[in-house]
Amino acid sequence: MDKSVNLYVVVPCYNEEAVLGETSKRMLELFDKMKSDRLIDDKSRIVFVDDGSKDKTWSIIDTLAKEHVEIAGVKLARNAGHQNALLGGLMTVKNDCDCAVSIDADLQDDINVIPEMVKNYIDGYDVVYGVRNKRDTDTVFKRTTAVGFYKLMQIMGVNIVFNHADYRLMSRRALDALADFPERNLFLRGMVPLVGYRSTSVYYDRNERFAGESKYPLKKMLSFAFDGITSFSISPIRIISTFGAAVCVISVIMAVYALVEKLLGNTDSGWASLMMSIWFIGGVQLLSVGLIGEYIGKLYKEVKRRPRYIIEAYVNERE
Ligand code: UDP
Ligand code: MG
């Protein structure tokens, strides 16, 4: 290896006063080791992003940054949410680094695979996903909801890496490409695969949060899942259209049935016409809603103004 890598580790923190001391200690130890292995250079940094915390998080980060040259802090003006804080951190550091790793402050994700991520970067990978081997330490509830979530996303046609959260390494050019995604509803683990470039995964066992509480209560988790689906897929609209078409078909069957019953004299007066109109109008209404939804879906895709392509290489480019 000719040159060591300039690595930035970005850590979003929301009310993490209980974990920051331990987290920074473990991170610094890892940095020392990677430096002595000549994997990363002296300008590498650990950047804590304070996402508008209400506790002492920022003053701890501030002190840490004064004590250690390796540590830097970014303070957001208000709580912007995990995804926004993470993107904010990555975009702040992207022009200073060769590659950046994002990781949660609670170290549930094993930092000891960071050297492996960096080695993959040196081998030419632009994106390295950290993937959980198993979820023994999560509660049964968290585990089943998480697995259900990944399955649902796949059914909805969103391309995400199974059991990968936001623990990943991205090269500078992958970060530059990510910067071209102008959308406001962030769902990074769905966006990064859209960037493309060569990617790979490293595997690790997920630990328990060693201090503090989860900042993702059920309400936030549900809204995150809902955002993920609605930001990436218009399948819900398609489901309405399909349902509407199905009801229209059923309405024909019901019409035949109602007519037959009427001809056989088994019906009260008015029943057949009511039956037929309820089914028919119901089907037409659903189909119409779905159709309008299709246009809204198209609008919605346009409004996002995502890049249509990302060029990976241009061979023989003139000076
Ligand atoms: N986080 C954040 N802003 C928020 C909520 C969470 O920056 O509004 C950070 C939090 O500090 C942590 C990471 O996002 O570093 C993941 O949160 P947590 O560990 O609580 O989620 P869980 O692992 O329970 O899903
Ligand atoms: Mg956590």
Side-chain angles (χ1 to χ4, degrees):
M1 189 193 331
D2 43 336
K3 188 180 160 288
S4 43
V5 174
N6 183 219
L7 170 77
Y8 272 58
V9 175
V10 175
V11 193
C13 308
Y14 178 57
N15 295 343
E16 297 286 11
E17 60 181 9
V19 305
L20 274 172
E22 180 68 19
T23 298
S24 57
K25 192 175 135 252
R26 290 198 213 165
M27 286 276 191
L28 286 167
E29 281 167 12
L30 181 73
F31 260 52
D32 282 344
K33 190 169 171 302
M34 287 196 288
K35 278 188 207 167
S36 63
D37 291 345
R38 300 187 162 263
L39 200 55
I40 59 172
D41 68 16
D42 283 338
K43 293 206 178 83
S44 297
R45 293 278 178 280
I46 304 157
V47 183
F48 291 105
V49 181
D50 174 24
D51 183 16
S53 300
K54 294 180 186 72
D55 63 1
K56 292 201 204 70
T57 298
W58 177 247
S59 68
I60 296 173
I61 295 173
D62 199 33
T63 316
L64 283 169
K66 284 183 182 122
E67 284 169 359
H68 307 273
V69 283
E70 296 94 336
I71 293 182
V74 172
K75 187 180 195 307
L76 300 189
R78 63 175 177 89
N79 181 243
H82 177 210
Q83 299 287 297
N84 295 309
L86 189 52
L87 188 74
L90 290 172
M91 293 301 122
T92 308
V93 306
K94 89 176 159 64
N95 293 328
D96 300 327
C97 64
D98 294 331
C99 60
V101 167
S102 51
I103 188 167
D104 290 350
D106 54 15
L107 298 194
Q108 281 185 284
D109 305 308
D110 186 2
I111 58 169
N112 294 312
V113 297
I114 292 180
E116 206 183 320
M117 289 180 163
V118 174
K119 281 178 196 144
N120 278 309
Y121 166 75
I122 293 168
D123 289 344
Y125 289 98
D126 282 275
V127 181
V128 187
Y129 298 105
V131 176
R132 291 164 200 164
N133 265 334
K134 53 185 169 96
R135 280 177 168 270
D136 311 5
T137 52
D138 277 342
T139 59
V140 176
F141 175 72
K142 181 117 192 173
R143 205 158 53 205
T144 38
T145 48
V147 170
F149 170 64
Y150 288 112
K151 286 261 158 63
L152 187 63
M153 292 296 284
Q154 276 178 342
I155 293 168
M156 295 285 177
V158 185
N159 175 17
I160 51 171
V161 179
F162 212 76
N163 269 340
H164 157 72
D166 285 305
Y167 183 27
R168 71 177 85 80
L169 176 145
M170 291 178 80
S171 69
R172 185 165 171 172
R173 68 170 179 173
L175 290 169
D176 279 334
L178 189 67
D180 284 335
F181 284 71
E183 56 212 78
R184 294 290 168 271
N185 290 297
L186 288 185
F187 186 67
L188 290 169
R189 63 189 83 164
M191 287 157 67
V192 176
L194 293 181
V195 167
Y197 293 135
R198 225 149 79 93
S199 69
T200 184
S201 302
V202 297
Y203 297 87
Y204 64 93
D205 295 335
R206 186 163 159 96
N207 303 316
E208 263 169 271
R209 193 180 237 283
F210 62 85
E213 274 170 9
S214 172
K215 308 297 181 290
Y216 264 100
L218 182 62
K219 197 169 140 247
K220 265 196 190 171
M221 248 160 58
L222 285 177
S223 100
F224 184 59
F226 193 69
D227 259 5
I229 290 164
T230 52
S231 300
F232 273 82
S233 155
I234 55 168
S235 318
I237 295 173
R238 291 264 154 81
I239 292 170
I240 297 178
S241 309
T242 317
F243 192 57
V247 174
C248 281
V249 171
I250 296 173
S251 96
V252 174
I253 300 167
M254 291 310 283
V256 173
Y257 164 70
L259 274 180
V260 170
E261 288 290 293
K262 187 178 166 65
L263 291 177
L264 293 176
N266 292 341
T267 62
D268 295 327
S269 77
W271 179 82
S273 52
L274 267 180
M275 266 306 262
M276 285 157 86
S277 37
I278 286 171
W279 278 94
F280 182 66
I281 294 289
V284 168
Q285 277 177 344
L286 278 174
L287 205 56
S288 313
V289 171
L291 193 66
I292 294 169
E294 280 293 320
Y295 286 99
I296 294 178
K298 295 250 156 46
L299 273 177
Y300 153 84
K301 279 191 170 167
E302 290 294 332
V303 173
K304 267 202 291 230
R305 310 201 125 266
R306 278 184 186 166
R308 275 161 295 185
Y309 49 80
I310 289 157
I311 293 172
E312 171 150 0
Y314 182 11
V315 184
N316 253 343
E317 184 177 7
R318 288 210 209 160
E319 281 300 303

PDB file of all heavy atoms in Angstrom, residues 156 226 229-230 232-242 290 294:
ATOM      1  N   MET A 156     -42.382  -3.777  -2.111  1.00  0.00           N
ATOM      2  CA  MET A 156     -42.728  -2.490  -2.716  1.00  0.00           C
ATOM      3  C   MET A 156     -41.728  -2.069  -3.791  1.00  0.00           C
ATOM      4  O   MET A 156     -41.797  -0.976  -4.331  1.00  0.00           O
ATOM      5  CB  MET A 156     -42.772  -1.405  -1.633  1.00  0.00           C
ATOM      6  CG  MET A 156     -43.866  -1.618  -0.623  1.00  0.00           C
ATOM      7  SD  MET A 156     -45.456  -1.183  -1.330  1.00  0.00           S
ATOM      8  CE  MET A 156     -46.533  -1.593   0.014  1.00  0.00           C
ATOM      9  N   PHE A 226     -42.692   4.270   7.053  1.00  0.00           N
ATOM     10  CA  PHE A 226     -43.685   4.830   6.133  1.00  0.00           C
ATOM     11  C   PHE A 226     -43.005   5.783   5.149  1.00  0.00           C
ATOM     12  O   PHE A 226     -43.269   5.745   3.943  1.00  0.00           O
ATOM     13  CB  PHE A 226     -44.760   5.565   6.936  1.00  0.00           C
ATOM     14  CG  PHE A 226     -45.972   5.900   6.126  1.00  0.00           C
ATOM     15  CD1 PHE A 226     -46.831   4.903   5.686  1.00  0.00           C
ATOM     16  CD2 PHE A 226     -46.248   7.213   5.781  1.00  0.00           C
ATOM     17  CE1 PHE A 226     -47.936   5.208   4.924  1.00  0.00           C
ATOM     18  CE2 PHE A 226     -47.359   7.530   5.020  1.00  0.00           C
ATOM     19  CZ  PHE A 226     -48.209   6.525   4.583  1.00  0.00           C
ATOM     20  N   ILE A 229     -41.063   3.868   2.479  1.00  0.00           N
ATOM     21  CA  ILE A 229     -41.883   3.312   1.410  1.00  0.00           C
ATOM     22  C   ILE A 229     -42.415   4.416   0.505  1.00  0.00           C
ATOM     23  O   ILE A 229     -42.259   4.385  -0.709  1.00  0.00           O
ATOM     24  CB  ILE A 229     -43.036   2.479   1.994  1.00  0.00           C
ATOM     25  CG1 ILE A 229     -42.463   1.204   2.625  1.00  0.00           C
ATOM     26  CG2 ILE A 229     -44.047   2.114   0.910  1.00  0.00           C
ATOM     27  CD1 ILE A 229     -43.413   0.499   3.541  1.00  0.00           C
ATOM     28  N   THR A 230     -42.989   5.440   1.101  1.00  0.00           N
ATOM     29  CA  THR A 230     -43.608   6.462   0.261  1.00  0.00           C
ATOM     30  C   THR A 230     -42.579   7.353  -0.437  1.00  0.00           C
ATOM     31  O   THR A 230     -42.907   8.019  -1.405  1.00  0.00           O
ATOM     32  CB  THR A 230     -44.585   7.345   1.072  1.00  0.00           C
ATOM     33  OG1 THR A 230     -43.912   7.826   2.222  1.00  0.00           O
ATOM     34  CG2 THR A 230     -45.802   6.552   1.494  1.00  0.00           C
ATOM     35  N   PHE A 232     -39.945   6.124  -1.876  1.00  0.00           N
ATOM     36  CA  PHE A 232     -39.254   5.347  -2.891  1.00  0.00           C
ATOM     37  C   PHE A 232     -40.148   4.592  -3.822  1.00  0.00           C
ATOM     38  O   PHE A 232     -39.699   4.013  -4.795  1.00  0.00           O
ATOM     39  CB  PHE A 232     -38.280   4.371  -2.226  1.00  0.00           C
ATOM     40  CG  PHE A 232     -36.975   5.007  -1.992  1.00  0.00           C
ATOM     41  CD1 PHE A 232     -36.775   5.799  -0.902  1.00  0.00           C
ATOM     42  CD2 PHE A 232     -35.972   4.889  -2.923  1.00  0.00           C
ATOM     43  CE1 PHE A 232     -35.593   6.447  -0.705  1.00  0.00           C
ATOM     44  CE2 PHE A 232     -34.786   5.534  -2.748  1.00  0.00           C
ATOM     45  CZ  PHE A 232     -34.583   6.314  -1.637  1.00  0.00           C
ATOM     46  N   SER A 233     -41.424   4.550  -3.521  1.00  0.00           N
ATOM     47  CA  SER A 233     -42.241   3.639  -4.280  1.00  0.00           C
ATOM     48  C   SER A 233     -43.623   4.226  -4.486  1.00  0.00           C
ATOM     49  O   SER A 233     -44.177   4.874  -3.595  1.00  0.00           O
ATOM     50  CB  SER A 233     -42.305   2.327  -3.493  1.00  0.00           C
ATOM     51  OG  SER A 233     -43.453   1.621  -3.822  1.00  0.00           O
ATOM     52  N   ILE A 234     -44.154   4.032  -5.697  1.00  0.00           N
ATOM     53  CA  ILE A 234     -45.536   4.433  -5.889  1.00  0.00           C
ATOM     54  C   ILE A 234     -46.444   3.192  -5.932  1.00  0.00           C
ATOM     55  O   ILE A 234     -47.584   3.260  -6.374  1.00  0.00           O
ATOM     56  CB  ILE A 234     -45.740   5.331  -7.125  1.00  0.00           C
ATOM     57  CG1 ILE A 234     -45.205   4.662  -8.379  1.00  0.00           C
ATOM     58  CG2 ILE A 234     -45.090   6.692  -6.941  1.00  0.00           C
ATOM     59  CD1 ILE A 234     -45.643   5.361  -9.654  1.00  0.00           C
ATOM     60  N   SER A 235     -45.910   2.061  -5.432  1.00  0.00           N
ATOM     61  CA  SER A 235     -46.731   0.839  -5.394  1.00  0.00           C
ATOM     62  C   SER A 235     -48.054   1.020  -4.668  1.00  0.00           C
ATOM     63  O   SER A 235     -49.057   0.458  -5.103  1.00  0.00           O
ATOM     64  CB  SER A 235     -46.007  -0.322  -4.740  1.00  0.00           C
ATOM     65  OG  SER A 235     -44.708  -0.388  -5.127  1.00  0.00           O
ATOM     66  N   PRO A 236     -48.095   1.766  -3.556  1.00  0.00           N
ATOM     67  CA  PRO A 236     -49.400   1.914  -2.892  1.00  0.00           C
ATOM     68  C   PRO A 236     -50.465   2.463  -3.848  1.00  0.00           C
ATOM     69  O   PRO A 236     -51.616   2.032  -3.805  1.00  0.00           O
ATOM     70  CB  PRO A 236     -49.102   2.902  -1.761  1.00  0.00           C
ATOM     71  CG  PRO A 236     -47.676   2.663  -1.428  1.00  0.00           C
ATOM     72  CD  PRO A 236     -47.023   2.377  -2.747  1.00  0.00           C
ATOM     73  N   ILE A 237     -50.068   3.394  -4.731  1.00  0.00           N
ATOM     74  CA  ILE A 237     -51.016   3.933  -5.706  1.00  0.00           C
ATOM     75  C   ILE A 237     -51.438   2.837  -6.695  1.00  0.00           C
ATOM     76  O   ILE A 237     -52.609   2.696  -7.028  1.00  0.00           O
ATOM     77  CB  ILE A 237     -50.372   5.108  -6.482  1.00  0.00           C
ATOM     78  CG1 ILE A 237     -50.100   6.267  -5.535  1.00  0.00           C
ATOM     79  CG2 ILE A 237     -51.263   5.538  -7.631  1.00  0.00           C
ATOM     80  CD1 ILE A 237     -49.327   7.405  -6.168  1.00  0.00           C
ATOM     81  N   ARG A 238     -50.431   2.051  -7.117  1.00  0.00           N
ATOM     82  CA  ARG A 238     -50.717   0.961  -8.060  1.00  0.00           C
ATOM     83  C   ARG A 238     -51.692  -0.027  -7.436  1.00  0.00           C
ATOM     84  O   ARG A 238     -52.560  -0.571  -8.116  1.00  0.00           O
ATOM     85  CB  ARG A 238     -49.416   0.214  -8.417  1.00  0.00           C
ATOM     86  CG  ARG A 238     -48.469   1.025  -9.228  1.00  0.00           C
ATOM     87  CD  ARG A 238     -48.646   0.724 -10.725  1.00  0.00           C
ATOM     88  NE  ARG A 238     -48.223   1.858 -11.532  1.00  0.00           N
ATOM     89  CZ  ARG A 238     -46.944   2.120 -11.848  1.00  0.00           C
ATOM     90  NH1 ARG A 238     -45.992   1.312 -11.443  1.00  0.00           N
ATOM     91  NH2 ARG A 238     -46.646   3.169 -12.572  1.00  0.00           N
ATOM     92  N   ILE A 239     -51.549  -0.265  -6.135  1.00  0.00           N
ATOM     93  CA  ILE A 239     -52.427  -1.222  -5.462  1.00  0.00           C
ATOM     94  C   ILE A 239     -53.873  -0.741  -5.568  1.00  0.00           C
ATOM     95  O   ILE A 239     -54.784  -1.531  -5.845  1.00  0.00           O
ATOM     96  CB  ILE A 239     -52.006  -1.406  -3.981  1.00  0.00           C
ATOM     97  CG1 ILE A 239     -50.650  -2.101  -3.924  1.00  0.00           C
ATOM     98  CG2 ILE A 239     -53.039  -2.225  -3.213  1.00  0.00           C
ATOM     99  CD1 ILE A 239     -50.017  -2.139  -2.552  1.00  0.00           C
ATOM    100  N   ILE A 240     -54.087   0.563  -5.408  1.00  0.00           N
ATOM    101  CA  ILE A 240     -55.445   1.107  -5.530  1.00  0.00           C
ATOM    102  C   ILE A 240     -55.969   0.880  -6.944  1.00  0.00           C
ATOM    103  O   ILE A 240     -57.096   0.426  -7.143  1.00  0.00           O
ATOM    104  CB  ILE A 240     -55.468   2.617  -5.194  1.00  0.00           C
ATOM    105  CG1 ILE A 240     -55.043   2.827  -3.735  1.00  0.00           C
ATOM    106  CG2 ILE A 240     -56.864   3.191  -5.423  1.00  0.00           C
ATOM    107  CD1 ILE A 240     -54.993   4.280  -3.331  1.00  0.00           C
ATOM    108  N   SER A 241     -55.148   1.173  -7.961  1.00  0.00           N
ATOM    109  CA  SER A 241     -55.580   0.971  -9.350  1.00  0.00           C
ATOM    110  C   SER A 241     -55.964  -0.475  -9.597  1.00  0.00           C
ATOM    111  O   SER A 241     -56.997  -0.774 -10.192  1.00  0.00           O
ATOM    112  CB  SER A 241     -54.471   1.350 -10.333  1.00  0.00           C
ATOM    113  OG  SER A 241     -53.980   2.618 -10.047  1.00  0.00           O
ATOM    114  N   THR A 242     -55.091  -1.372  -9.140  1.00  0.00           N
ATOM    115  CA  THR A 242     -55.347  -2.799  -9.356  1.00  0.00           C
ATOM    116  C   THR A 242     -56.635  -3.220  -8.683  1.00  0.00           C
ATOM    117  O   THR A 242     -57.469  -3.946  -9.249  1.00  0.00           O
ATOM    118  CB  THR A 242     -54.190  -3.646  -8.770  1.00  0.00           C
ATOM    119  OG1 THR A 242     -52.969  -3.009  -9.112  1.00  0.00           O
ATOM    120  CG2 THR A 242     -54.213  -5.052  -9.287  1.00  0.00           C
ATOM    121  N   GLY A 290     -57.067   5.753  -8.547  1.00  0.00           N
ATOM    122  CA  GLY A 290     -55.769   5.185  -8.911  1.00  0.00           C
ATOM    123  C   GLY A 290     -55.156   5.934 -10.085  1.00  0.00           C
ATOM    124  O   GLY A 290     -53.953   6.201 -10.116  1.00  0.00           O
ATOM    125  N   GLU A 294     -51.701   7.949 -10.311  1.00  0.00           N
ATOM    126  CA  GLU A 294     -50.602   7.731 -11.252  1.00  0.00           C
ATOM    127  C   GLU A 294     -49.963   9.062 -11.640  1.00  0.00           C
ATOM    128  O   GLU A 294     -48.747   9.187 -11.710  1.00  0.00           O
ATOM    129  CB  GLU A 294     -51.101   7.034 -12.516  1.00  0.00           C
ATOM    130  CG  GLU A 294     -51.281   5.528 -12.364  1.00  0.00           C
ATOM    131  CD  GLU A 294     -49.956   4.804 -12.154  1.00  0.00           C
ATOM    132  OE1 GLU A 294     -48.957   5.167 -12.805  1.00  0.00           O
ATOM    133  OE2 GLU A 294     -49.924   3.871 -11.324  1.00  0.00           O
TER     134      GLU A 294
END
